[in-house]
Amino acid sequence: MQRSPHSGRSVCDHSGAEIAETIPGFTPGKRDIDGINFSGKLMRNADFMGVTVLNGRFQDARLERSHFEGATMRDANLLGANLYEAILTGANFDRADLRSTNLTLAAVNGKKTSFEGAKVDAHTCWPKGVDKKKLATVIITNDGPDNFRGGEEAPHCTLWKGGERTR
């Protein structure tokens, strides 16, 4: 186990995580995971509780039922990620790229959960009952076919059905 020169925390071995296709139940604990590319990985039930991943790369990652309570995911690339039934309460997704991301049935209404400046589009699928105040500061990159304009739920989700991508 190595220590990060910046944080003093234990560092995950990047090589294994970056070449694996499937990382079920991934739990970094107190290890530094900055710089690991999780794009395209199948990571159901991963445990990112309380971690800080600045500029994280999770494009098209399958993160169903994963836990992000209290995590800092600021500036993360979650373009096309599947966060179906994920728990995001208390997490910071400020300036994250959430375009085409599936948040159906995700828990997002925690007091400290933040999406300030997050990029979303008409294909971002929000859970029913999402607190509209949480969406008031997102950046809409296009209005698209759903006419989603931010601060509201998309009327329907055209890219995702439940936990599966439709196209």
Side-chain angles (χ1 to χ4, degrees):
M1 188 68 58
Q2 298 176 330
R3 295 243 175 241
S4 167
H6 304 291
S7 66
R9 296 178 6 187
S10 298
V11 178
C12 267
D13 176 16
H14 292 212
S15 60
E18 291 191 2
I19 61 171
E21 290 181 29
T22 303
I23 313 173
F26 179 76
T27 305
K30 299 291 182 195
R31 292 180 191 91
D32 184 350
I33 58 173
D34 278 342
I36 299 177
N37 185 354
F38 294 107
S39 294
K41 306 293 183 214
L42 175 60
M43 301 177 68
R44 291 185 178 116
N45 300 304
D47 182 356
F48 290 97
M49 289 178 18
V51 301
T52 298
V53 184
L54 304 178
N55 299 305
R57 295 175 291 177
F58 295 87
Q59 184 170 335
D60 294 318
R62 303 276 315 259
L63 295 158
E64 297 98 312
R65 294 174 208 78
S66 292
H67 294 260
F68 290 89
E69 296 99 325
T72 300
M73 302 293 290
R74 205 170 33 243
D75 297 306
N77 177 355
L78 290 144
L79 177 71
N82 190 357
L83 292 166
Y84 181 78
E85 294 184 333
I87 301 174
L88 313 179
T89 52
N92 179 327
F93 285 88
D94 293 353
R95 299 183 310 273
D97 189 344
L98 299 174
R99 293 175 294 155
S100 300
T101 299
N102 184 17
L103 295 159
T104 307
L105 298 181
V108 299
N109 284 337
K111 186 175 182 179
K112 294 183 180 180
T113 310
S114 177
F115 297 100
E116 188 172 329
K119 288 183 256 173
V120 300
D121 63 11
H123 299 294
T124 302
C125 296
W126 295 97
K128 289 184 180 182
V130 64
D131 182 352
K132 292 180 181 181
K133 292 177 189 169
K134 300 258 181 242
L135 304 182
T137 60
V138 297
I139 298 169
I140 312 305
T141 59
N142 72 338
D143 292 330
D146 294 331
N147 295 317
F148 175 64
R149 302 205 188 290
E152 60 187 64
E153 291 179 49
H156 52 82
C157 204
T158 61
L159 188 60
W160 297 91
K161 182 169 179 118
E164 297 299 320
R165 195 172 188 141
T166 58
R167 52 189 158 109

